[in-house]
């Protein structure tokens, strides 16, 4: 248990009959008239839904002990993704629903953070950006070096992103894992 004064970003609360909500933003408000309160933006850990919720200041809220562990993606077993705990070397199968969009950027050996609650994986968090090789993209046409144009490119994971016209097959690029945006070339 904690009070609303202990809230911080990333803290996971257990509300509404056991649902897990992660604190995205919070703000303590002390109006000139009336009691103080805490305005929060909460994200449902399982569905990703974001809601605004207001708490009276100082009330008790139940926290969930979520264990975040650094793990390495090992391989895909059927539809499950198998991660290895880098400290204990335990294998952990994670369903595609839990992995979510992170599957678009996962290669064997990639490091990720897996959040666990009561032995079950809640979500997989990747670094903000990853470096991947372009498996295939249409060749650029001479004179297509101007800024602004993009073309589709297939990454080595099979996911397709938009890249500038000058990018060629076989180049390594940096990709934002939150939006899927091209961030730049990687000089090897």
């Amino acid at each position: 248990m904690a009070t609303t004064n202990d809230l911080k970003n990333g803290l996971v609360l257990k509300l509404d009959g056991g649902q897990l909500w992660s604190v995205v933003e919070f703000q303590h408000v002390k109006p000139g008239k009336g009691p103080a309160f805490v305005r929060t933006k909460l994200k449902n850990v399982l569905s990703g839904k974001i809601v605004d919720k207001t708490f009276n200041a100082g009330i008790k809220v139940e926290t969930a002990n979520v264990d975040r562990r650094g793990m390495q993606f090992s391989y895909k077993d059927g539809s499950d993704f198998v991660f290895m705990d880098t400290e204990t070397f335990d294998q952990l199968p994670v369903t595609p629903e839990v992995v979510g969009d992170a599957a678009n950027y996962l290669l064997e050996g990639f490091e990720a953070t897996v959040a666990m609650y009561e032995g079950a994986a809640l979500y997989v968090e990747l670094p903000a950006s990853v470096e991947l090789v372009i498996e295939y993209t249409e060749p650029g046409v001479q004179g297509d070096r101007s800024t602004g144009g993009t073309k589709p490119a297939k990454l080595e994971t099979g996911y397709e992103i938009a890249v500038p016209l000058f990018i060629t097959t076989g180049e390594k690029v940096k990709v934002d894992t939150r939006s899927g945006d091209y961030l730049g070339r990687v000089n090897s």
Side-chain angles (χ1 to χ4, degrees):
M1 292 294 264
T3 68
T4 54
N5 301 331
D6 302 325
L7 291 182
K8 60 181 186 252
N9 290 349
L11 185 69
V12 178
L13 305 176
K14 205 176 196 181
L15 304 170
D16 307 328
Q19 288 188 28
L20 298 178
W21 296 85
S22 177
V23 177
V24 178
E25 288 176 18
F26 68 96
Q27 178 185 15
H28 292 276
V29 181
K30 176 72 176 111
K33 195 174 185 181
F37 59 92
V38 180
R39 188 177 294 137
T40 63
K41 188 173 277 189
L42 303 174
K43 179 179 178 183
N44 187 303
V45 171
L46 298 176
S47 71
K49 179 180 165 189
I50 294 180
V51 298
D52 293 321
K53 190 163 175 71
T54 304
F55 298 97
N56 292 328
I59 67 159
K60 291 195 179 302
V61 288
E62 191 176 353
T63 58
N65 188 15
V66 173
D67 184 19
R68 290 179 176 87
R69 294 184 187 178
M71 294 197 175
Q72 188 177 50
F73 174 58
S74 294
Y75 58 93
K76 201 164 176 202
D77 182 21
S79 63
D80 286 354
F81 294 80
V82 180
F83 288 85
M84 180 185 70
D85 190 317
T86 51
E87 290 176 21
T88 64
F89 303 108
D90 289 343
Q91 303 281 323
L92 174 74
V94 180
T95 63
E97 295 78 36
V98 172
V99 175
D101 290 342
N104 299 330
Y105 312 104
L106 275 178
L107 280 180
E108 289 182 12
F110 269 28
E111 296 285 329
T113 302
V114 179
M116 309 275 292
Y117 177 68
E118 293 180 349
L122 293 175
Y123 59 88
V124 174
E125 209 172 74
L126 290 177
S129 65
V130 291
E131 296 176 0
L132 293 165
V133 174
I134 299 290
E135 194 171 88
Y136 178 77
T137 186
E138 293 292 326
V141 179
Q142 189 62 31
D144 265 350
R145 304 288 188 255
S146 64
T147 58
T150 62
K151 61 183 177 179
K154 189 175 181 182
L155 298 171
E156 58 186 312
T157 60
Y159 187 62
E160 202 169 272
I161 64 167
V163 297
L165 297 170
F166 57 82
I167 296 294
T168 59
T169 299
E171 279 191 85
K172 191 178 242 190
V173 295
K174 192 178 251 189
V175 182
D176 187 323
T177 58
R178 296 162 300 201
S179 63
D181 292 341
Y182 163 86
L183 296 175
R185 281 180 172 157
V186 177
N187 298 325
S188 23

